[in-house]
Amino acid sequence: MRYLRRCSSVSCRWESILSAASAARWSARLGPIEEHLHAVATESELPDFAVGMCVVRIEESAPSLRAVLLRAADGEVLSDDDSLLLFRGLHILGGARDREACQPLLRLLRRPFQDVDDLIGDIVIESLANIVTGVFDDDTTPCSP
């Protein structure tokens, strides 16, 4: 019985290693995440495949998406590409339920209305509630008066 437990433990490790190797192979076939982020930031038509890759590979795409969100929250002037990445990236972060994006998003929303409207105007009307719900991190202190 002890032998079986040890084998199953080794088997689990092998399955984990094979799964990681398979994910790495698929990742290599699907291209670097930077290519997908570039498409999200620059293509005039919504790049469905690139958006999907950013959601599925959120561990890889989130740092770049959060970085542009932080820059916007800090009041930096964003380039056109970065503004589009912010706009689309908020949907990606919300859809992927990236809780680390919550506080920077709330900071962005506390900026003057015109700044927020210039950056994410259409989101405010259409889907901001869904995005905030998606990234909500259970910390209600910033919402208190």
Side-chain angles (χ1 to χ4, degrees):
M1 191 68 167
R2 203 165 126 199
Y3 175 74
L4 288 176
R5 264 190 246 132
R6 197 169 0 156
C7 287
S8 66
S9 171
V10 170
S11 174
C12 289
R13 281 191 219 130
W14 271 109
E15 286 176 17
S16 175
I17 291 168
L18 292 174
S19 175
S22 176
R25 278 196 307 274
W26 273 109
S27 217
R29 288 183 193 153
L30 297 174
I33 198 66
E34 293 77 19
E35 288 179 10
H36 302 297
L37 287 165
H38 179 74
V40 168
T42 60
E43 291 186 16
S44 58
E45 293 290 319
L46 184 66
D48 294 332
F49 183 76
V51 168
M53 284 294 95
C54 288
V55 172
V56 170
R57 296 167 61 186
I58 193 66
E59 296 83 16
E60 297 172 75
S61 65
S64 296
L65 299 174
R66 281 190 229 115
V68 76
L69 173 57
L70 284 168
R71 290 185 17 238
D74 290 340
E76 282 188 37
V77 176
L78 300 180
S79 68
D80 289 344
D81 288 351
D82 283 344
S83 292
L84 188 55
L85 184 63
L86 173 68
F87 182 86
R88 291 174 174 170
L90 287 174
H91 288 91
I92 292 167
L93 292 167
R97 302 197 174 281
D98 184 73
R99 296 170 60 128
E100 290 180 50
C102 185
Q103 296 307 314
L105 176 57
L106 294 178
R107 266 193 20 243
L108 172 65
L109 296 176
R110 281 190 221 106
R111 298 199 47 75
F113 175 78
Q114 193 58 48
D115 292 352
V116 175
D117 190 52
D118 290 345
L119 286 170
I120 59 170
D122 291 342
I123 289 180
V124 173
I125 295 168
E126 296 173 8
S127 52
L128 183 60
N130 291 332
I131 293 169
V132 172
T133 301
V135 300
F136 185 61
D137 63 0
D138 296 328
D139 182 4
T140 58
T141 53
C143 301
S144 303

